[in-house]
Structures are given as structure tokens and as C-alpha cells.
């Protein structure tokens, strides 16, 4: 869980000196400014392919040699990128197969980035070649400390090569066509396949109603990205076995199973762009915290890198509001609290032209250090130096929330119940919020993780069950675990076939002591209510209608024909407890329910009271206290602590808007 790649928190970001090749004086100015900004690293070369290989087989590494040397002379670490995220025009022109084909069957023209086929042997070969050359040339360069592979892998390709690869993937995953026809339920609408060549990728003008096939396609695309990545890194692993490898993930992007991809990385990194200060700061902070916890959990609590963030604005929101002063600093400290060992920006210097010229950067078009943003970045750099003690320290929570990538796919592709409200992430975050508010550390895990180390496992909307999950839940509860399931649990298996014999699947009916006979879906404006411990809570969107067998009924519906039937149940099973919360709620129920559970089970809540909108996160011996409310907050601590940033002793904290403190026990 602990894992250290550097002795200090990395502070830097995307650096594109190749855009300033004609003005070398700017490179020198960058070095001066980086020192002033307390920046200790630069990520170089992300989209630099056409600068390195301007013509096929003609290479120009001199500029890269020079900038890496300059960075080294100035004491900066380099995270060196491979350039596959965007390609030179000559490459696409000469080898059109490298370009993507969209689901409409039309091949894209050259342009933008992430526009490559994941299967194309030519593209794979070209990527391997340029990566080999980079690795050979810089394997002993003292500045190069990490590889940044490509950039934000994403998208899919529907070309003939990919169709054929999909069919091969299917052949490897199903015994034969009979098995595929059964698992895809192809008797429906006369869809029985008699030859593999009849199968194409899902698309609007073709097949898009075979749900299991859509799920298979998502798995195939995810595997294609991983196999593309494995091809990219093969020369790096061989030539530079001691240089760690990462690639930057995009929040909860669902086109790739990050829980699977993470197994192939040395460390996880991600790009964080919250929409701060739009009137919902508290909720933005909760969701961002959940995402950080997800990335820390991808490698079992190991620290991650925050590969990108903006020091001021982005350019891709509809309206790009400037966050409040010091919000970026607070946001960065939040990342460190949740396990980040780096704070990096997109980008160091604003581009002069092009699509991202109005995106925030450390150095603005004015070119000097006398800006609010630059000063804040520099201040943050000095703060991070005081937090070096956390570097390498990972952690796990006592509570896990199951957010499973493949379940996300399954919940998004089926047709039925409430087709408008399938916000799996939102549902998980609603459960997470009361835990965040109590300062309880949470891991975000896939359904096939080890539940054994958690005192409480919460599984919202666990609609699809991967093989083995039923046994895993049963065993966990039997051995004394506390498991909470939400609505629509255990409906389909890994191939999207419904479980027969009643929901939830198979022996989960015994574990939870219930049977779900029907599920009601509530259109907007229509609600039910649930009576639970003398209070009434709104039920929205989904209401499972249950029969309690061995379970105790803790809460009941109050309206409609199922009024009086169970909405919250508790079953004692083996040495453990299994709760079923049958309805969707806007949040107040979860807050009260978690409050009760935390009175029964020690979940590691904060030892001092946390005011609304304030977050308390413990990483190693450091306690991060952050005010995300829209007003100043006073916090009375349970004892005297040392304020890590100024060395003083404190027994209370006064935090302004955007304020934070880092304290530790004396
Ligand atoms: C990221 C991307 C960067 C830059 C940034 C702008 O998603 O990796 O290259 O485009 O967005 O916010």
C-alpha cells in the first residue's frame, strides 16, 4: 500500500517547449520562472511527435536533448511522455488505416487527437518505434524519472481491422457460437448467428439492441486500449526497466475499465478539473473526494499522481468562471489528503495560438511572474514542501463502496424500469457523502475486490454480478461482515442474463432474507415515502417491492398499493449483518442511516465535530481540515495539535472560505 517514487511531492505540469522552439529565450525564462514558482518537475513531450519525427524516418531529438539538459541543470525532474495521443499529418496521409472509423462506418480525416485505430498494425508499429528511440536515447538521462504514456486513452474505432479483432475477442471469450447465441439470448427477435462473420460492432444503423453484445463490445474496447498500451510500453519495460510507468486517467471515464487497466501501471495518475465556485462547492468537493478515493483504491490504497489540474480556469466549460483565489490551493491540498503524491498542472505556459490558448496556465500570456495565479502556484509549492512527510504513504478505509466499472456499463445499457435516472456514480456519491461528512475514510472498490478487510461494504445499484460475486458477498457476511445493498441488486449475471428464481440472485435471497417481487419506477414529480424510525423519507426513481423472509423490516413504504411493505431490511446471516435499502433517496436517509451504523460499528470517524461543508481527512499522521462551505467555519478540536504549516499549537481552527489547515498530534 505504501509506495514511494520520489522523496518529495512532485509539483509541476505539462510543459510544451516545442511550441516555443523559435524563441529559445523563452526556454531560459521558463527555467527562471519554474524556480520562482517552486516547481520541481515538468512533463515533456506529450504531443511532440511531429517535432521529433518531422518526416518518416527523419528524427530531430536535439531540441529535446537541450530542454531535458536545461531542466536537469535547474534541478527539475522530468516525466517523459510518449507521443501517441496525436500523430503527424504525414503518418495519417501515408497510412490511412491509422485513422479511426466512427460507428457510422466513415473513416475520420486527419485532425484533432485521440483519432487513431487501436488495432492498426501500422500504428502500433510506428508507436513502438518512436517509443524505442525515446527509451534508447534517454535511458540514462539523469532528469528522466517517469514515463507518461500517451495522454488520456479514450474512444473507439469501428474499422474492419477492429471488427475482425472483435470477432477474435469473442471467439476467445465464448466456447462456440451456440454459447454466444445462448448468452446473448439471440433467440429473441430471430438473432441467432450462424457464422462469426455475421457479428459487427454495435451501431445505430446496425445492431444496438442486443444488450449482452453491447456489454461485450465495451469489454473488447477496454481490452483493446490495454493491449495498445502494452504494445506501447514493451520497449520501455525492456530498455528502461527501472523507470516507473503511468498514464493519465480522466475522472470516472467509462470507456475503459480503469480497475482493470490499473493492474498494468506502476502508479495511477489522473486529471482533475472540478467546476469550483458555481454555487455547489460542497457537492463538488464530495464528488471530487470520491474520485480521489477511487484512484487511491485502484492500487489498494497506494498513493497516486494528480497529473493535471488547472491553476485557474479551463476553456471547455460552457462558461469558464474563475474559481475564488486560493481555491486551487485548497483543491490541491484535498488531493494530497486523499493520497496524491503530486500536484501538476495543465499547463505550465499558455499556448499563444490554437484550441487551448485561453486555458489557464501557470505563466499567462503576459509572460511574467506578477500575476495572482503565478503567486498562488508559487505559494502552493512552498506549502507542498512542508507536506513531504506524506510522500509514499498510502491508506485504506474501514469502509468500502463498490463502484464497479463493468456494473456501470451494465446499468447504462439495459432498457427498462426508470430509463431516465441511471446515475450510478451519483448514487454512489450520495452514499459516500455522509461518510465524507463524518471524516470516515472510504475505499472505492470493484465487486471482485477482497471485502475481508472492511468493517462495512456498501453496494449501491449492484445490478450486474460478475462471476463469483454471490459467493463473495455470502462469505463476507457469514464471516461477520456488514453489507448494505441498494435497489436493483443482483438482477443479471456477467452476460446480462437475468437470474431466474427471484431477485436478488440465487442465495443472496438467503443472505438478505428477502425476495424482491417487483420494482416500481417513479417519474419525476411522483414520489413515495418511507417510514423509518419515526421519520419519513422521500423515495424517488426506484422502489423495489420486497417480501421479508427471515429479514427484520426496519422501514416500510407509506404510499401506493405497496404501502406497508418493507423498504429497509436487516438480516442476521452467519456472524454478519446484511441490510437492503430498497429505494432511491435524495440523501437525508443515507445520512441518518450511516449515523446509526457508525454508532454500532467503529468506522474511524473524526474525533472532533465537523461543521457542515468541512472535510476532515487523515493521511498517515497528518489530519487535513478543509472548509468547502461558502462561509467561514470554526472548528473545536478534541485536543491540542501541531499546525504543520506554521509549527504552532492549536486546539481550535478558524477557516475562511477556501481555507484549510494541516494538523498532527503532538
Ligand atoms: C486534458 C488533456 C490536456 C488538456 C486539458 C485541458 O483532458 O489531457 O491535454 O487538453 O485537458 O483541460
Amino acid at each position: 500500500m505504501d509506495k514511494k517514487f520520489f522523496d518529495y511531492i512532485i509539483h509541476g505540469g505539462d510543459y510544451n517547449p516545442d511550441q516555443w522552439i523559435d524563441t529559445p529565450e523563452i526556454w531560459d525564462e521558463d527555467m527562471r520562472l519554474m524556480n520562482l514558482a517552486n516547481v520541481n518537475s515538468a512533463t515533456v513531450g506529450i504531443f511532440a511527435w511531429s517535432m521529433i519525427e518531422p518526416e518518416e524516418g527523419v528524427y530531430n531529438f536535439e531540441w529535446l536533448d537541450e530542454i531535458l539538459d536545461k531542466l536537469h541543470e535547474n534541478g527539475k525532474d522530468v516525466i517523459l511522455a510518449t507521443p501517441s495521443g496525436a500523430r503527424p499529418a504525414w503518418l495519417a496521409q501515408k497510412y490511412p488505416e491509422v485513422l479511426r472509423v466512427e460507428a457510422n462506418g466513415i473513416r475520420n480525416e486527419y485532425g484533432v487527437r485521440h483519432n487513431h485505430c487501436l488495432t492498426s498494425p501500422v500504428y502500433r508499429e510506428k508507436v513502438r518505434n518512436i517509443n524505442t528511440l525515446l527509451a534508447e536515447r534517454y535511458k540514462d538521462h539523469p532528469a528522466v524519472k517517469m514515463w507518461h504514456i500517451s495522454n488520456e486513452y479514450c474512444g473507439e474505432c469501428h474499422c474492419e481491422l477492429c471488427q475482425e479483432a472483435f470477432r477474435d475477442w469473442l471467439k476467445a471469450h465464448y466456447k462456440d457460437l451456440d454459447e454466444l447465441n445462448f448468452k446473448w439470448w439471440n433467440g429473441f427477435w430471430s438473432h441467432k448467428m450462424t457464422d462469426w462473420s455475421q457479428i459487427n460492432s454495435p451501431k445505430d444503423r446496425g445492431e444496438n439492441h442486443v444488450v449482452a453484445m453491447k456489454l461485450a463490445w465495451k469489454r473488447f474496447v477496454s481490452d483493446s486500449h490495454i493491449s495498445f498500451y502494452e504494445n506501447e510500453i514493451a520497449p520501455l519495460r525492456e530498455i528502461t526497466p527501472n523507470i516507473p510507468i503511468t498514464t493519465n486517467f480522466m475522472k470516472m471515464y467509462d470507456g475503459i475499465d480503469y480497475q482493470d487497466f490499473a493492474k498494468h501501471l506502476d502508479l495511477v495518475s489522473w486529471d482533475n478539473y472540478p467546476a469550483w465556485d458555481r454555487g455547489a462547492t460542497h457537492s463538488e468537493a464530495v464528488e471530487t473526494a470520491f474520485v480521489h478515493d477511487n484512484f487511491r483504491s485502484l492500487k489498494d490504497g497506494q498513493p497516486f499522481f494528480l497529473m493535471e489540474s488547472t491553476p485557474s480556469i479551463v476553456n471547455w466549460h460552457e462558461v469558464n468562471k474563475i474559481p475564488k483565489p486560493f481555491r486551487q490551493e485548497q483543491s490541491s491540498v484535498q488531493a494530497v489528503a486523499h493520497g496524491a503524491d503530486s500536484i501538476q498542472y495543465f499547463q505550465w505556459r499558455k499556448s499563444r495560438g490554437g484550441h487551448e490558448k485561453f486555458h489557464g496556465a501557470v505563466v499567462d500570456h503576459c509572460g511574467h511572474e506578477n500575476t495572482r495565479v503565478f503567486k498562488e502556484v508559487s505559494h502552493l509549492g512552498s506549502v507542498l514542501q512542508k507536506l513531504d512527510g506524506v510522500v509514499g504513504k498510502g491508506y485504506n478505509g474501514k469502509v468500502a463502496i463498490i463502484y464497479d466499472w463493468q456494473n456501470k456499463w451494465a446499468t447504462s445499457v439495459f432498457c427498462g424500469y426508470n430509463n431516465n435516472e441511471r446515475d450510478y456514480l451519483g448514487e454512489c456519491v450520495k452514499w459516500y457523502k455522509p461518510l465524507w461528512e463524518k471524516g470516515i475514510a472510504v475505499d472505492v472498490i470493484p465487486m471482485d475486490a477482497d471485502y475481508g478487510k472492511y468493517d462495512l461494504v456498501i453496494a449501491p445499484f449492484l445490478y450486474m454480478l460478475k462471476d463469483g460475486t454471490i459467493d463473495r458477498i455470502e462469505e463476507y457476511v457469514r464471516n461477520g461482515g456488514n453489507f448494505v445493498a441498494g435497489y436493483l441488486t443482483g438482477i443479471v449475471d456477467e452476460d446480462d442474463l437475468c437470474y431466474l428464481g427471484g431477485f436478488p440472485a440465487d442465495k443472496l435471497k438467503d443472505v438478505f432474507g428477502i425476495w424482491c417481487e417487483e420494482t416500481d419506477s417513479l417519474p419525476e414529480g411522483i414520489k413515495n415515502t418511507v417510514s423509518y424510525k419515526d421519520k419519513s423519507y422521500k423515495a424517488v426513481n426506484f422502489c423495489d417491492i420486497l417480501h421479508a423472509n427471515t429479514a427484520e423490516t426496519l422501514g416500510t413504504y407509506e404510499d401506493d398499493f405497496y404501502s406497508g411493505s418493507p423498504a429497509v431490511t436487516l438480516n442476521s446471516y452467519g456472524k454478519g449483518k446484511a441490510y437492503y435499502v430498497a429505494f432511491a433517496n435524495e440523501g437525508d436517509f443515507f445520512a441518518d442511516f450511516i449515523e446509526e451504523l457508525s454508532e454500532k460499528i467503529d468506522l474511524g470517524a473524526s474525533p472532533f465535530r465537523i461543521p457542515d461543508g468541512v472535510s476532515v481527512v487523515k493521511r498517515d499522521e497528518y489530519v487535513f481540515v478543509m472548509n468547502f462551505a461558502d462561509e467561514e467555519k470554526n472548528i473545536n478540536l478534541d485536543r491540542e495539535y501541531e499546525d504543520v504549516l506554521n509549527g504552532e499549537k492549536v486546539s481550535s481552527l478558524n477557516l475562511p472560505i477556501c481555507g484549510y489547515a494541516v494538523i498532527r498530534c503532538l
Side-chain angles (χ1 to χ4, degrees):
M1 180 176 54
D2 285 354
K3 183 114 188 186
K4 205 168 182 171
F5 292 94
F6 293 87
D7 289 329
Y8 35 84
I9 297 179
I10 285 293
H11 186 220
D14 284 21
Y15 179 40
N16 302 300
D18 34 319
Q19 290 176 18
W20 302 92
I21 200 120
D22 300 325
T23 45
E25 64 282 7
I26 283 194
W27 291 14
D28 291 327
E29 180 64 355
D30 282 333
M31 299 304 119
R32 185 186 76 83
L33 290 171
M34 281 184 193
N35 290 328
L36 279 180
N38 290 314
V39 149
N40 55 24
S41 92
T43 309
V44 182
I46 295 180
F47 299 116
W49 197 334
S50 68
M51 283 294 297
I52 298 172
E53 192 179 359
E55 288 171 46
E56 188 168 21
V58 176
Y59 300 100
N60 173 11
F61 285 104
E62 285 70 32
W63 66 274
L64 194 50
D65 298 346
E66 193 183 331
I67 200 72
L68 294 192
D69 290 349
K70 264 192 209 297
L71 285 162
H72 182 58
E73 280 155 24
N74 283 275
K76 311 296 171 225
D77 293 318
V78 168
I79 300 180
L80 188 58
T82 63
S84 68
R87 66 223 47 79
W90 60 256
L91 200 158
Q93 189 175 39
K94 179 156 180 202
Y95 307 102
E97 74 163 52
V98 306
L99 293 174
R100 249 170 224 186
V101 172
E102 297 296 333
N104 60 12
I106 300 174
R107 192 178 294 281
N108 290 338
E109 292 181 5
Y110 176 73
V112 295
R113 48 183 173 174
H114 309 301
N115 183 12
H116 55 268
C117 169
L118 298 168
T119 308
S120 157
V122 170
Y123 198 55
R124 286 185 176 218
E125 206 268 308
K126 290 286 175 196
V127 167
R128 225 179 143 108
N129 174 55
I130 192 106
N131 290 4
T132 305
L133 295 174
L134 279 168
E136 286 292 358
R137 192 163 186 107
Y138 299 115
K139 61 176 188 279
D140 297 320
H141 197 288
V144 176
K145 300 285 173 54
M146 189 176 281
W147 286 110
H148 174 297
I149 305 302
S150 195
N151 193 65
E152 294 185 339
Y153 281 96
C154 58
E156 57 190 46
C157 174
H158 295 255
C159 74
E160 246 330 297
L161 292 167
C162 287
Q163 308 280 352
E164 210 38 58
F166 180 42
R167 290 174 202 122
D168 289 343
W169 186 95
L170 293 172
K171 285 178 201 161
H173 283 78
Y174 298 89
K175 218 168 45 220
D176 50 32
L177 268 183
D178 287 344
E179 187 183 78
L180 179 139
N181 279 321
F182 173 75
K183 290 194 167 175
W184 289 13
W185 212 245
N186 277 346
F188 179 77
W189 285 351
S190 201
H191 274 38
K192 284 234 157 93
M193 302 286 156
T194 51
D195 194 276
W196 296 96
S197 61
Q198 292 156 359
I199 303 173
N200 293 306
S201 62
K203 47 179 78 80
D204 285 349
R205 65 186 177 90
E207 186 56 79
N208 65 4
H209 279 65
V210 177
V211 181
M213 181 255 214
K214 285 162 79 168
L215 211 48
W217 172 255
K218 282 179 182 291
R219 289 182 175 131
F220 160 75
V221 170
S222 184
D223 284 357
S224 305
H225 279 288
I226 295 172
S227 121
F228 186 90
Y229 160 88
E230 282 295 344
N231 171 72
E232 274 223 43
I233 67 161
L236 312 182
R237 289 278 189 226
E238 198 188 316
I239 303 164
T240 60
N242 298 322
I243 302 185
I245 291 181
T246 190
T247 187
N248 48 344
F249 288 157
M250 286 188 281
K251 206 176 170 189
M252 307 302 273
Y253 171 69
D254 81 352
I256 301 174
D257 181 347
Y258 284 166
Q259 287 162 334
D260 187 18
F261 202 154
K263 296 174 198 149
H264 302 252
L265 305 173
D266 295 321
L267 89 159
V268 166
S269 62
W270 82 283
D271 301 343
N272 179 28
Y273 292 100
W276 292 124
D277 298 315
R278 309 281 184 98
T281 308
H282 184 156
S283 336
E284 198 64 18
V286 174
E287 184 170 312
T288 305
F290 178 88
V291 181
H292 285 311
D293 285 345
N294 168 67
F295 286 113
R296 191 192 63 250
S297 307
L298 285 188
K299 286 186 99 58
D300 194 24
Q302 186 184 305
F304 58 90
F305 264 29
L306 190 88
M307 192 55 87
E308 288 181 25
S309 58
T310 174
S312 56
I313 49 174
V314 294
N315 68 336
W316 43 264
H317 287 154
E318 270 181 35
V319 178
N320 295 289
K321 165 125 189 52
I322 299 178
K324 289 187 199 306
F326 291 100
R327 180 67 78 198
Q328 170 57 25
E329 178 162 323
Q330 185 196 45
S331 178
S332 303
V333 167
Q334 183 193 29
V336 173
H338 286 270
D341 271 359
S342 84
I343 297 299
Q344 294 159 274
Y345 307 104
F346 179 84
Q347 56 181 336
W348 166 253
R349 180 182 280 277
K350 266 188 188 172
S351 328
R352 185 162 184 197
H355 181 67
E356 291 183 325
K357 62 179 175 298
F358 298 126
H359 192 289
V362 180
V363 182
D364 212 323
H365 291 133
C366 65
H368 56 65
E369 65 269 37
N370 300 316
T371 63
R372 178 186 66 83
V373 170
F374 189 96
K375 286 179 195 154
E376 286 187 19
V377 166
S378 173
H379 183 258
L380 173 61
S382 64
V383 167
L384 294 177
Q385 286 163 8
K386 295 186 183 141
L387 299 178
D388 284 346
V390 299
V391 173
K393 303 286 184 192
Y395 63 93
N396 289 112
K398 290 176 155 204
V399 179
I401 292 183
I402 297 183
Y403 175 95
D404 185 285
W405 247 261
Q406 303 212 7
N407 185 52
K408 167 72 175 47
W409 294 341
T411 60
S412 65
V413 288
F414 77 82
C415 182
Y417 299 120
N418 191 333
N419 285 315
N420 296 332
E421 288 297 332
R422 299 278 183 74
D423 185 6
Y424 180 46
L425 172 62
E427 192 61 25
C428 291
V429 173
K430 273 193 216 158
W431 276 100
Y432 177 81
K433 184 164 179 262
L435 295 157
W436 181 92
E437 283 168 343
K438 298 179 87 48
I440 294 170
V442 176
D443 283 4
V444 178
I445 59 169
M447 68 179 90
D448 39 6
D450 170 16
Y451 307 157
K453 60 174 177 256
Y454 301 107
D455 294 324
L456 174 66
V457 176
I458 302 173
F461 198 0
L462 193 61
Y463 160 83
M464 181 272 280
L465 301 180
K466 291 177 186 162
D467 291 353
T469 307
I470 297 174
D471 289 343
R472 197 176 284 270
I473 297 174
E474 192 273 336
E475 194 190 325
Y476 171 68
V477 180
R478 179 162 37 81
N479 290 331
N482 298 290
F483 196 96
V484 180
Y487 56 83
L488 283 177
T489 290
I491 308 296
V492 298
D493 68 11
E494 205 167 295
D495 288 287
D496 197 61
L497 286 174
C498 288
Y499 286 101
L500 301 180
F503 304 127
D506 299 345
K507 64 183 166 203
L508 290 185
K509 282 186 283 300
D510 300 330
V511 175
F512 291 96
I514 53 158
W515 168 46
C516 171
E517 185 177 345
E518 290 180 89
T519 295
D520 193 12
S521 303
L522 305 182
E524 222 189 318
I526 297 185
K527 62 175 179 62
N528 203 316
T529 54
V530 167
S531 150
Y532 177 84
K533 309 233 160 135
D534 303 328
K535 270 177 90 175
S536 196
Y537 299 88
K538 229 201 249 181
V540 294
N541 303 331
F542 296 97
C543 299
D544 282 349
I545 304 173
L546 307 181
H547 298 276
N549 296 332
T550 53
E552 183 190 342
T553 298
L554 303 179
T556 49
Y557 290 110
E558 294 184 308
D559 287 331
D560 221 324
F561 72 93
Y562 47 98
S563 171
S565 71
V568 185
T569 59
L570 163 62
N571 195 41
S572 295
Y573 182 88
K575 294 189 203 141
K577 305 235 174 295
Y579 296 83
Y580 197 93
V581 177
F583 65 106
N585 170 259
E586 279 157 357
D588 52 338
F589 171 78
F590 303 143
D592 289 347
F593 187 73
I594 292 292
E595 174 72 38
E596 260 176 57
L597 283 183
S598 70
E599 280 161 15
K600 291 188 199 145
I601 317 164
D602 175 13
L603 301 176
S606 158
F608 50 87
R609 208 189 72 77
I610 306 176
D612 261 10
V614 172
S615 167
V616 175
V617 180
K618 191 161 185 297
R619 179 174 179 193
D620 197 43
E621 54 170 348
Y622 297 77
V623 180
F624 295 77
V625 187
M626 299 158 279
N627 178 15
F628 292 103
D630 291 321
E631 58 188 17
E632 179 181 298
K633 291 285 175 178
N634 290 307
I635 298 123
N636 291 319
L637 304 172
D638 57 312
R639 47 181 291 171
E640 238 182 26
Y641 289 81
E642 179 201 348
D643 184 324
V644 175
L645 301 182
N646 61 24
E648 284 169 13
K649 289 182 184 168
V650 285
S651 50
S652 68
L653 297 169
N654 176 266
L655 299 181
I657 295 175
C658 297
Y660 67 91
V662 187
I663 56 177
R664 71 177 152 200
C665 288
L666 283 161

